[in-house]
Amino acid sequence: MFKIAVLGAGRIGKIHARNVARHSRLHLAAIADPMGDIAAELAAATGAETRDVDAVLNDPSIDGVVIASPTDQHLDQTLRAIAAGKAVLCEKPIDQDLTRAREAAAHLGGARRLLLGFNRRFDTHFGALKAQIDAGRIGKLETVTIISHDPAPPPIAYVKVSGGLFKDMAIHDFDMARFLLGEEPNEVYAAASCLIDSEIGRAGDIDTARTTLRTASGRICTISNSRRSGYGYDQRIEAYGEKGLLKADNVLETTVSHWGERGAELDALQNFFLDRYAEAYRREMDHFAAVVAGETAPLVGFDDAVQALRLAEAAAESVASGQPVRL
């Protein structure tokens, strides 16, 4: 079994730590978080030890690390872990600054054991949609629509350190757009507002956005983002081609529906990403185990992280200028 350490014991760190602990090929050796009580609680729940980051990175017996620390630590910890010979699964985004991320290319650009945490690539529904696009089910792909609406805004304390809606939330959708389009966007136009929570606006962020990406061949992707849907966690994708439509719909709590005089009533949407993407996180960890073992190259690597961040910064630039941004 490969020994894995998780850096960060927050919400995402808990997901990864539990998936490592349950994995048949991985052993959760350590949890590292400067908030000792949180680290100790997670370690006790998963059978791991608590250590500091330096101890983890200096331990030659640790085969891989999962970086789930605050975003402003992602890049530095990734550089240190790769330099120490560890396999790395780093949560998105790789950094909040595109220039800093690009400067790391000399060290990370060719890293064959660096997996970026764009977990939606491992979602079975989106994966099936991608496979059918590639198989020509709808002929030549023309446009893609991605809808990503959260059930409720995050705490304002989180918003202030998140890097903003485009780098924190929509960056998943930018990665998915690249994945499905099969071409790099060369033009970005975004419109955004603060319509839901004025505190988000006072923190310098937005809570509602519409972004259009265009590729050199003319393919178009439209992304709808909202911090509050009012009806649950809305995660849909539609792909239009010359021969029809492919659609990945929302996942419900159950498949039970009620039929009565008022018509048909379905169960609620799954509440949030912890539920909707639970299986995707497990499949991501399966892939990371294969990366640690040297059996496969990462499905999502450093260049994917940089390209998604590039689109996020272009979207913010477009909102500021009111103009499309050419890449």
Side-chain angles (χ1 to χ4, degrees):
M1 296 181 72
F2 298 102
K3 295 177 68 174
I4 305 297
V6 174
L7 311 186
R11 185 169 58 178
I12 298 297
K14 288 182 173 67
I15 293 172
H16 289 307
R18 289 166 180 154
N19 286 338
V20 172
R22 296 180 185 126
H23 203 280
S24 62
R25 303 185 67 188
L26 305 175
H27 169 66
L28 182 60
I31 304 291
D33 193 296
M35 298 185 68
D37 55 341
I38 295 176
E41 181 181 353
L42 182 56
T46 55
E49 299 178 359
T50 57
R51 302 187 197 173
D52 62 32
V53 172
D54 289 340
V56 165
L57 298 181
N58 291 328
D59 183 349
S61 74
I62 299 293
D63 300 294
V65 296
V66 177
I67 298 175
S69 49
T71 300
D72 60 3
Q73 299 174 30
H74 286 182
L75 184 57
D76 290 340
Q77 290 180 350
T78 298
L79 286 165
R80 292 182 61 195
I82 291 294
K86 316 296 187 191
V88 176
L89 166 55
C90 179
E91 266 301 329
K92 60 78 194 168
I94 188 67
D95 198 68
Q96 292 181 351
D97 183 82
L98 180 60
T99 299
R100 266 177 45 88
R102 282 174 164 162
E103 289 172 349
H107 303 284
L108 302 179
R112 289 186 53 80
R113 297 209 303 162
L114 171 58
L115 174 64
L116 266 295
F118 288 108
N119 65 300
R120 296 180 192 181
R121 297 259 196 137
F122 299 92
D123 179 72
T124 55
H125 309 282
F126 298 163
L129 186 145
K130 169 65 171 173
Q132 292 194 39
I133 291 173
D134 291 347
R137 185 80 182 273
I138 56 171
K140 184 178 68 175
L141 179 66
E142 295 168 349
T143 65
V144 174
T145 299
I146 299 174
I147 298 171
S148 182
H149 297 172
D150 285 354
I156 196 66
Y158 175 84
V159 170
K160 290 178 179 179
V161 298
S162 69
L165 181 144
F166 289 124
K167 292 179 181 178
D168 172 57
M169 178 186 180
I171 199 161
H172 276 295
D173 306 305
F174 294 138
D175 178 71
M176 185 54 57
R178 295 180 59 246
F179 180 55
L180 296 176
L181 288 169
E183 301 174 356
E184 293 295 343
N186 66 357
E187 183 179 274
V188 179
Y189 175 73
S193 298
C194 189
L195 301 174
I196 296 165
D197 187 343
S198 59
E199 285 295 316
I200 292 176
R202 282 191 282 273
D205 199 8
I206 54 174
D207 55 31
T208 308
R210 300 293 183 271
T211 306
T212 300
L213 311 176
R214 188 193 304 270
T215 71
S217 72
R219 290 179 179 177
I220 296 172
C221 178
T222 302
I223 300 170
S224 175
N225 293 116
S226 173
R227 288 292 196 184
R228 187 263 296 126
S229 70
Y231 52 86
Y233 191 44
D234 191 359
Q235 299 286 288
R236 289 173 284 152
I237 297 179
E238 296 177 349
Y240 296 85
E242 59 183 338
K243 296 180 181 178
L245 160 70
L246 287 168
K247 182 178 181 180
D249 216 331
N250 281 312
V251 179
L252 307 181
E253 290 287 356
T254 74
T255 61
V256 177
S257 60
H258 170 258
W259 296 63
E261 61 183 20
R262 296 178 59 187
E265 297 179 0
L266 304 179
D267 206 344
L269 305 183
Q270 288 191 326
N271 182 56
F272 204 20
F273 75 94
L274 299 173
D275 302 315
R276 171 62 181 82
Y277 292 114
E279 179 62 21
Y281 280 114
R282 289 190 288 268
R283 287 165 55 87
E284 181 182 54
M285 194 56 66
D286 289 340
H287 182 66
F288 184 54
V291 170
V292 175
E295 297 168 354
T296 186
L299 178 63
V300 198
F302 175 74
D303 185 61
D304 297 300
V306 171
Q307 293 300 328
L309 186 57
R310 178 176 179 237
L311 293 174
E313 289 207 352
E317 181 183 343
S318 178
V319 169
S321 69
Q323 300 296 320
V325 174
R326 296 283 298 180
L327 301 175

